[in-house]
Amino acid sequence: MSYSVNYSPLLRAHTPPPPPQPCHKVCDVAYSSSMKGQTLLSKTDSAVLCGSDPPDDGVPPLKADQWPDGAEETSGMERLLRKCQIRNQLVRECLAECLGVYVLILFGCGSAAQVTTSQDKNGQYLSINLGFALGVTFGVFVSRGVSGAHLNPAVSLSLCALGRHPWMKLPFYVFFQVMGAFLAAATVGLQYYDAIQAYSGGELTVTGPTATAGIFSTYPAAYLSLWGGVVDQVIGTAALLMCVLALGDQRNSPLPDGLQPVLVGAAVLVIGVSMGSNSGYALNPARDLGPRLFTYIAGWGVDVFKAGGGWWWVPIVAPCVGALLGTLIYMLMIEVHHPSLSELHTSCQEATEEKAGVELEGGRAVLLQKTEMTFSTMNPDNFPSTSRSDFSPCRVKHVTDWTELHCRPMMNPNDDCGSSLHQKS
């Protein structure tokens, strides 16, 4: 959900951008022995980029017995993995969503299992909050490059409503998100099977002092009414979507790309520590439904759907309503008021024209092809050992996308005074 615009309206046709300069990493990738059979460039193309002569095609390739130790096995593994490669983009996205949700629930429900079965000896409520927050963070890292890391049917629904995600993909995303949560709950159940049996005395219950169904799914507090729970989930999920949309809005507060998943996890953490006591802050239909289906199959029985006055549908419906509400609030109050790209282009041109002509003392006016320029380093006051009269006009040199300004004191016309300003386009 992030877009980056890097455009300068002041670049003229007579100052074309410099040709790309390949770094050593391009050459390394092209010739790396670990990339045999799947190099990004052909040998001829990579040789041209690296500034060397193209290789001689007449040179025979190394035989299998000439590769370093283990290289043949690596090549065989790569061939095997390539046979498993899926070409269909939708299937790849669905698998990424499944694995991302799996990571989320594995850490989240795993932390809940540890705290519950140890009777708060190996963690507290904050441990569960941290488990789910970090689970979200790493789940996003796992899947964002393939599917965008929705990890939540409510998020997918909101993006479809905004027109940023195809409606056709929505049911597939939801199915695989629920599947990932189900598989993760099964993994936690297997990992903590002995601990759960010891804690519950061998009886799997949904309510009571030794209830363990809450490890996997959310249930309301004893004081919470059904509609109070709906309000709780709507508010919590609306807050989540406002934070998620703000983090992805590059025209609001651009963030480094790698920081976004961390802050999404932080948003889940702050919601957990401020809104979690009522019903466990599900905020995610897949996070609740998948593990609930597992507990139904694994021995907790139909009570997982009857407990809390038929609570099971609230963490499914209310987060979707809250997500749409949070999306609407953010769009109407923030994003819809951003200036369009054309308006930004016009304002940039106007600001540049105001700074285009610069006249320095004792010098001539020059036209600077930059959007921002400061001349603080050109102030003679910065050079106490040199009097104002010693400065000659500054010379301006344009080098593609860089402008270099050098002050030359008259006392030594062959040396620059050492003050140079580099301003990147």
Side-chain angles (χ1 to χ4, degrees):
M1 295 190 294
S2 63
Y3 306 92
S4 176
V5 178
N6 186 8
Y7 174 75
S8 175
L10 300 176
L11 295 178
R12 306 297 190 213
H14 63 274
T15 59
Q21 298 295 328
C23 65
H24 62 86
K25 292 183 178 180
V26 176
C27 308
D28 294 342
V29 171
Y31 288 109
S32 174
S33 61
S34 64
M35 297 289 289
K36 297 190 299 293
Q38 44 185 341
T39 54
L40 301 178
L41 300 172
S42 67
K43 293 182 178 180
T44 303
D45 294 338
S46 60
V48 171
L49 284 177
C50 297
S52 60
D53 295 331
D56 186 4
D57 293 336
V59 177
L62 291 176
K63 297 181 180 179
D65 57 359
Q66 294 176 312
W67 288 108
D69 293 340
E72 183 63 25
E73 288 78 5
T74 303
S75 179
M77 178 58 69
E78 290 176 351
R79 288 197 299 268
L80 178 61
L81 292 176
R82 283 198 297 272
K83 291 181 180 179
C84 300
Q85 186 179 18
I86 297 175
R87 301 289 184 179
N88 187 282
Q89 180 65 24
L90 177 59
V91 175
R92 293 168 56 197
E93 293 174 4
C94 290
L95 291 177
E97 286 293 306
C98 182
L99 185 58
V101 176
Y102 179 90
V103 170
L104 189 168
I105 302 302
L106 180 67
F107 293 147
C109 288
S111 62
Q114 177 171 291
V115 171
T116 301
T117 57
S118 68
Q119 303 182 50
D120 294 344
K121 295 178 181 178
N122 295 328
Q124 302 292 329
Y125 177 69
L126 182 60
S127 303
I128 301 175
N129 294 329
L130 290 172
F132 275 103
L134 293 175
V136 169
T137 296
F138 288 107
V140 172
F141 274 119
V142 165
S143 60
R144 65 173 183 155
V146 180
S147 66
H150 299 181
L151 311 186
N152 187 336
V155 173
S156 300
L157 176 64
S158 297
L159 294 178
C160 288
L162 289 175
R164 300 176 184 177
H165 188 69
W167 285 98
M168 185 273 294
K169 294 184 178 181
L170 179 61
F172 297 99
Y173 268 52
V174 172
F175 176 80
F176 279 90
Q177 289 163 354
V178 174
M179 179 185 293
F182 178 90
L183 295 175
T187 303
V188 173
L190 177 64
Q191 184 178 17
Y192 281 91
Y193 175 80
D194 292 336
I196 291 173
Q197 291 293 323
Y199 173 78
S200 64
E203 184 179 359
L204 302 179
T205 58
V206 178
T207 59
T210 59
T212 50
I215 291 174
F216 302 95
S217 299
T218 63
Y219 294 89
Y223 59 81
L224 189 68
S225 67
L226 194 65
W227 291 107
V230 171
V231 172
D232 175 76
Q233 289 298 293
V234 168
I235 294 175
T237 313
L240 175 66
L241 262 293
M242 284 190 287
C243 294
V244 169
L245 291 175
L247 294 174
D249 188 356
Q250 293 298 306
R251 289 188 291 169
N252 186 353
S253 55
L255 295 171
D257 190 47
L259 186 60
Q260 292 179 358
V262 178
L263 293 181
V264 172
V268 173
L269 175 62
V270 73
I271 291 173
V273 299
S274 61
M275 307 181 189
S277 62
N278 281 337
S279 60
Y281 72 107
L283 312 178
N284 184 337
R287 172 262 174 277
D288 194 85
L289 180 59
R292 194 179 299 273
L293 291 174
F294 165 73
T295 53
Y296 172 73
I297 295 172
W300 281 264
V302 72
D303 286 344
V304 299
F305 293 102
K306 294 181 178 180
W311 168 262
W312 68 272
W313 63 269
V314 176
I316 298 175
V317 176
C320 294
V321 176
L324 294 174
L325 178 62
T327 300
L328 182 64
I329 291 173
Y330 185 82
M331 295 299 295
L332 290 180
M333 299 189 71
I334 301 294
E335 189 163 333
V336 74
H337 306 293
H338 290 329
S340 63
L341 292 179
S342 60
E343 293 174 346
L344 290 175
H345 178 82
T346 302
S347 61
C348 183
Q349 285 183 323
E350 293 175 352
T352 304
E353 290 173 357
E354 294 177 358
K355 299 180 180 181
V358 177
E359 183 176 356
L360 299 179
E361 182 179 350
R364 67 180 187 279
V366 295
L367 182 64
L368 303 179
Q369 298 178 349
K370 300 295 158 190
T371 58
E372 295 182 1
M373 183 65 66
T374 175
F375 295 93
S376 60
T377 59
M378 308 306 299
N379 189 345
D381 295 336
N382 293 334
F383 307 95
S385 61
T386 307
S387 64
R388 181 179 299 270
S389 60
D390 291 330
F391 279 85
S392 65
C394 291
R395 56 187 175 87
V396 179
K397 180 175 64 175
H398 295 283
V399 182
T400 61
D401 61 339
W402 293 82
T403 300
E404 301 179 357
L405 282 76
H406 301 273
C407 284
R408 176 175 296 173
M410 293 296 291
M411 63 180 67
N412 190 353
N414 295 324
D415 296 329
D416 291 338
C417 65
S419 66
S420 62
L421 177 64
H422 300 276
Q423 177 67 34
K424 193 172 182 180
S425 299

